Amino acid sequence: EVQLVQSGAEVKKPGESLKISCKGSGYSFTSYWIGWVRQMPGKGLEWMGIIYPGDSDTRYSPSFQGQVTISADKSISTAYLQWSSLKASDTAMYYCARRDSSGYLGYWGQGTLVTVSS
Amino acid sequence: EIVLTQSPATLSLSPGERATLSCRASQSVSSYLAWYQQKPGQAPRLLIYDASNRATGIPARFSGSGSGTDFTLTISSLEPEDFAVYYCQQRSNWPPTFGPGTKVDIK
């Protein structure tokens, strides 16, 4: 069974750094792209970027380029989303999802809630 | 960036009724459009891909149509579990983009 399990909720202060994770299981982790999607409170879905764990090829949506870093460690089947300096506006639910052979996000993690508040 | 517009923003219907949701793209996306369902407190779920193909395990009451700039998601007869928010998403051009969503709620 394909599963994406994300790390737990985080509460951080502005200016702090953060790295959240997404561990894949039940499939060949290196063979499928993993995407990250943001959902701000009460709002819609925003595509952040995507990584191919097989060779770490990474692409960012222009809105998120330079704001976050996406990475992966294929040895432990885990993708990451990180911030070097959080802002209050980074408060959101973050989902990882696997891009299937259909080309769309067919399997999703449960989400990681990030709260940034002083 | 391709902008997707969804209408209506909210659709109030009763169980058993037919739901028709619209998604319009700012430029042609060919058939590279998907629909997702999101219930409160849950991650989105892929329903339809490439405009008209149901994802694995999706009931036949969900159907998608359209190409180019105009797309429709139809739920033929609403079940209680179908009341949710529905998003369209294009993958024709980078970056992929989502529409703002249509909330289907109980009348």
Side-chain angles (χ1 to χ4, degrees), chain A residues 37 39 43-50 59-63 95 99-106 108-111, chain B residues 1 31-34 36 38 41-46 48-51 87 89-91 94-100:
Chain A
V37 175
Q39 188 166 39
K43 302 299 184 183
L45 306 172
E46 299 174 89
W47 189 290
M48 301 178 72
I50 197 164
R59 300 168 194 183
Y60 295 92
S61 177
S63 299
Y95 293 102
R99 194 176 84 174
D100 282 347
S101 55
S102 68
Y104 301 92
L105 302 177
W108 293 67
Q110 83 276 20
Chain B
E1 177 172 309
S31 293
Y32 297 120
L33 188 109
Y36 298 83
Q38 187 179 32
Q42 295 186 17
R45 176 173 71 146
L46 178 66
I48 301 288
Y49 66 92
D50 286 347
Y87 296 94
Q89 180 236 313
Q90 65 81 23
R91 70 174 185 94
W94 187 265
T97 49
F98 290 95

Side-chain angles (χ1 to χ4, degrees), chain B residues 66-84:
Chain B
S67 66
T69 60
D70 290 294
F71 299 86
T72 301
L73 173 70
T74 301
I75 310 171
S76 60
S77 178
L78 283 162
E79 296 287 340
E81 62 268 27
D82 299 335
F83 292 92

